[in-house]
Amino acid sequence: MDSLLSRYDALVCDLDGVIYRGPEPVPYAIESVEAAGGTGVKVAYATNNASRPPAEVAEHLRELGLTADDSAVINSSMAGADYLARHLHEGATVLAVGGDGVRLALSDKGFRVVTGLKSEQPAAVLQGYGPKVTAQDLAHVAYAVQRGARWVATNTDRTLPTAQGTAPGNGALIGAVREAVDVNPEVVGKPGPLMYTMAAARLGSSAARTLGIGDRLETDVAGAHAAGMDCLHVLTGVHGPTDLIAAPADLRPRYVADDLRALHDPYDEPRRRDDGWQLGAARARLDGEGGDASLEVRGTITGQERLRLVLAVLWEGVDTGMIDRTQAVNLWVTSK
């Protein structure tokens, strides 16, 4: 059986929780991605974290041991600036809130960038994550939006994985502003397709031959799906097995693995067999329905292969109405 990597010409990797957590690399990520590039597969990095300019992110990746040009990094600030360039006239004034990446992306598109409200009313606001965003910055967003500015959010990730733990993300900051205004922001980052399509275009790859890689279902998996790409979900970041089991159909990845070493391994997908599912020599099925349902797994299978097999069974059970998502999670927990 060929490796998972051999099915694709290009990879679009998320960063936080996939490649690194804060300043530290995720175990096995650097060597796995670097080896992928060595086979001729092209790699880009698409992150909802809009706080740093792409060149700074690329330098961080090189420090961790990856071969990465500045152009390999696409962030949601770039997607936001690209989006606004299609809707505003050249040189329009835009209020930038977030890290340096937000201001740089807007400047690169020819906008007049301001970081506070003075006498001039901005035509739009681009709000992204930044570790130094203040309550006054959020108030300026609210005032501008109340006066008619177009409100664009780079992303709405509720949390951000760091080396110290999980921190509030841009979604939390967006939520604070939303309490003070009567409109919702236009969101350009994941789960939208824009960063994935921008990455595929840079890599010269089609959606069908590009694999998205992420750790968060409602952003990485959803964004890859929106762009028409398969997705590998790795269990090194935000969402774990119970999140996968409870995921609605539109947030389910095609592939699941413990970490990025899976790129170089054969990937056997579960197959429907008789009244259940089979992976290798192991089989699994649901017996009964609702509260009386039980999960039966036969054969020796452990770790990530067992999770892949059980996911197929439980997802089918949910989709056909045999069990609900809460029952699916309970069956997984009690079967371990």
Side-chain angles (χ1 to χ4, degrees), residues 10 26 40 59-60 71 75 96-97 126 149 153 159 165 168 175 178 182 199 203 207 211 214 249 251 310 318 328 333:
V26 167
E59 179 60 29
H60 183 195
S71 61
N75 65 22
V97 173
L126 181 59
T159 58
R178 183 62 182 83
D182 295 327
L203 299 176
L211 178 66
L251 297 184
V310 170
V318 170
V333 171

Side-chain angles (χ1 to χ4, degrees), residues 2 100 125 132 135 142 144 151 153 166 179-180 184-185 199 243 251 257 280 297 319:
D2 294 332
D100 291 339
V125 178
K132 296 181 180 180
W151 184 22
T166 301
E179 292 294 322
N184 292 316
D243 301 299
L251 297 184
V297 181
D319 293 345

Side-chain angles (χ1 to χ4, degrees), residues 26 37 53 91 117 126 129 144 153 174 186 196 211 238 249 279 291 308 311:
V26 167
L117 292 185
L126 181 59
Y129 177 79
I174 294 292
E186 301 170 80
Y196 286 95
L211 178 66
V238 173
L279 181 59
R308 294 168 189 165
L311 280 172

Side-chain angles (χ1 to χ4, degrees), residues 35-259:
T39 69
V41 171
K42 298 176 182 179
V43 184
Y45 304 91
T47 175
N48 264 353
N49 189 333
S51 61
R52 296 189 292 170
E56 186 178 327
V57 176
E59 179 60 29
H60 183 195
L61 295 176
R62 291 190 288 269
E63 290 172 353
L64 294 177
L66 285 171
T67 302
D69 294 333
D70 294 355
S71 61
V73 178
I74 297 172
N75 65 22
S76 54
S77 292
M78 297 166 63
D82 186 80
Y83 178 80
L84 284 172
R86 292 185 235 153
H87 292 87
L88 302 178
H89 64 79
E90 185 177 356
T93 300
V94 180
L95 173 64
V97 173
D100 291 339
V102 179
R103 291 185 289 277
L104 179 62
L106 290 168
S107 295
D108 286 346
K109 286 294 183 179
F111 292 112
R112 180 175 178 271
V113 182
V114 296
T115 56
L117 292 185
K118 296 181 181 178
S119 58
E120 184 177 2
Q121 165 66 11
V125 178
L126 181 59
Q127 183 179 354
Y129 177 79
K132 296 181 180 180
V133 172
T134 67
Q136 185 177 47
D137 293 326
L138 300 183
H140 285 168
V141 176
Y143 301 151
V145 173
Q146 289 163 12
R147 296 169 189 168
R150 189 167 197 150
W151 184 22
V152 175
T154 60
N155 67 292
T156 53
D157 293 21
R158 295 186 300 274
T159 58
L160 179 69
T162 73
Q164 289 76 38
T166 301
N170 196 49
L173 304 180
I174 294 292
V177 175
R178 183 62 182 83
E179 292 294 322
V181 300
D182 295 327
V183 298
N184 292 316
E186 301 170 80
V187 183
V188 294
K190 308 170 192 176
L194 186 53
M195 281 195 291
Y196 286 95
T197 56
M198 291 171 67
R202 287 193 181 189
L203 299 176
S205 179
S206 67
R209 294 288 298 176
T210 303
L211 178 66
I213 303 176
D215 69 302
R216 191 189 294 260
L217 300 176
E218 79 277 7
T219 55
D220 303 325
V221 176
H225 285 177
M229 298 176 185
D230 291 333
C231 189
L232 166 64
H233 180 89
V234 287
L235 301 171
T236 54
V238 173
H239 287 145
T242 55
D243 301 299
L244 284 162
I245 289 164
D250 60 339
L251 297 184
R252 296 170 186 167
R254 179 174 179 180
Y255 309 111
V256 176
D258 289 335
D259 54 64

